[in-house]
Amino acid sequence: MTEVQAQRSRADASPTEFGGDSLRRPGILDRIVAGKRGEVERLGAQRRDLARAADDVPPPRPVLEQWRERRKVAVIAEVKRRSPGAGAIDPGLDPLSLSAKYESGGACAISVLTDAAWFGGSLDDLRAVREARAVPVLRKDFVIDEVQVTEARAAGADLVLLIVRILEPALLGDLRAMVHDLGMTALVEVHDEWEVDAALEAGAGLVGVNNRDLTVFETDLAVTERLARYVPGDVMLVSESGIRDRDDVARVAAAGADAVLVGEALVRSGSPAGLVGEMAAVGRVGRR
């Protein structure tokens, strides 16, 4: 039995042993998801219109094939105005100007927060960035229903974030498959061993380890170092949150990360293009 299979066996036997109990803790994440349920309910009447709109936008840009061929760490640079953990970062930022700097610095993709209530983002931000930039664009939001996947494609998204912590396994699998069927790539986000197992069972080809615990919003790069060994080498691994500089990128790359997702540090930096360039120069180490 491989180490990954052993970990799966333990996770199947006791999901709460590795943090599944955190799903039941009240907090900011619960409030965010409750708000998303209201948004989904309001979107219900638009399902057919969104499906037609999704057919009319340019096809999704490929991700995994290009990233697998890279010798350097792929940088996903994020357009982010605020967050529950950091508060106001740059409420007045211009997504087009910032994403242009990211692209010129060598970012392989742009992540756009589309949640309005907690992050100050919008789908209009995503549409504008997707139209202006040549690199793939990720819709980063709290997706809990198929209509949000259709909405993402209709807005031009190339990638969609799926957070294991807020999705039942069957729904996670269905949403991952739907993202794939629409030609997009799912970035399946995990924070503990049990969630890695769930992501792999759902067929994820791109797994993101969130170094931030969404229940308490504490960040630790050791989360990537701990979980990377459970992600097979043929699955691309992204380290998310808490990455500030080249040294942090080198640290998670040494653990096996193929890519990093960076937001706050880039937005706050005086030279986002320069910082992206420094991060993108770090070599990949890979995993067995």
Side-chain angles (χ1 to χ4, degrees):
M1 178 181 290
T2 67
E3 189 170 23
V4 171
Q5 289 171 330
Q7 184 62 61
R8 286 186 180 183
S9 177
R10 282 180 283 169
D12 288 341
S14 179
T16 60
E17 180 181 352
F18 301 112
D21 58 334
S22 62
L23 285 166
R24 295 188 287 274
R25 297 176 190 164
I28 293 175
L29 185 59
D30 297 311
R31 293 163 63 189
I32 292 174
V33 172
K36 291 300 162 183
R37 293 194 185 99
E39 291 181 19
V40 166
E41 186 175 350
R42 292 188 291 274
L43 278 174
Q46 302 178 40
R47 287 180 188 266
R48 290 185 180 179
D49 291 339
L50 288 170
R52 285 193 290 268
D55 290 335
D56 293 336
V57 296
R61 292 162 177 159
V63 175
L64 295 181
E65 296 82 0
Q66 285 80 355
W67 290 6
R68 286 194 176 104
E69 295 175 357
R70 289 181 56 84
R71 294 185 178 181
K72 304 293 185 181
V73 171
V75 176
I76 307 170
E78 190 159 87
V79 174
K80 183 176 186 178
R81 293 185 176 89
R82 65 173 186 263
S83 75
I89 301 170
D90 186 355
L93 70 77
D94 176 2
L96 288 181
S97 174
L98 183 60
S99 62
K101 294 172 183 176
Y102 289 162
E103 189 174 39
S104 69
C108 289
I110 308 295
S111 170
V112 180
L113 264 301
T114 60
D115 174 80
W118 295 88
F119 293 85
S122 72
L123 281 168
D124 286 340
D125 290 342
L126 188 147
R127 293 186 188 96
V129 171
R130 178 53 165 80
E131 183 176 348
R133 305 278 77 83
V135 296
V137 178
L138 164 71
R139 182 189 186 180
K140 191 174 182 186
D141 209 315
F142 298 82
V143 173
I144 58 172
D145 189 273
E146 291 182 353
V147 71
Q148 293 168 287
V149 176
T150 307
E151 183 184 44
R153 182 78 282 269
D158 305 293
L159 303 98
V160 176
L161 180 71
L162 299 177
I163 303 172
V164 173
R165 184 152 295 194
I166 64 175
L167 298 169
E168 293 295 331
L171 179 57
L172 173 64
D174 289 345
L175 293 176
R176 205 282 315 164
M178 182 180 181
V179 170
H180 176 80
D181 289 346
L182 287 174
M184 298 182 290
T185 301
L187 172 57
V188 184
E189 181 179 289
V190 304
H191 184 69
D192 60 30
E193 288 84 348
W194 180 83
E195 292 175 7
V196 172
D197 179 75
L200 298 177
E201 290 291 344
L206 184 64
V207 170
V209 173
N210 194 341
N211 300 306
R212 178 173 293 114
D213 186 340
L214 293 177
T215 59
V216 293
F217 278 81
E218 294 178 353
T219 303
D220 186 354
L221 296 184
V223 178
T224 290
E225 294 172 322
R226 190 181 84 241
L227 298 185
R229 59 180 173 165
Y230 300 119
V231 180
D234 61 344
V235 174
M236 296 292 289
L237 176 62
V238 183
S239 183
E240 311 171 21
S241 301
I243 295 168
R244 301 161 299 178
D245 52 32
R246 180 191 173 106
D247 289 344
D248 286 343
V249 176
R251 176 179 170 182
V252 296
D258 304 297
V260 293
L261 193 156
V262 189
E264 182 180 348
L266 292 175
V267 176
R268 293 189 188 278
S269 74
S271 176
L275 184 53
V276 168
E278 292 175 10
M279 293 178 171
V282 175
R284 287 175 61 191
V285 176
R287 302 177 311 287
R288 294 182 180 179

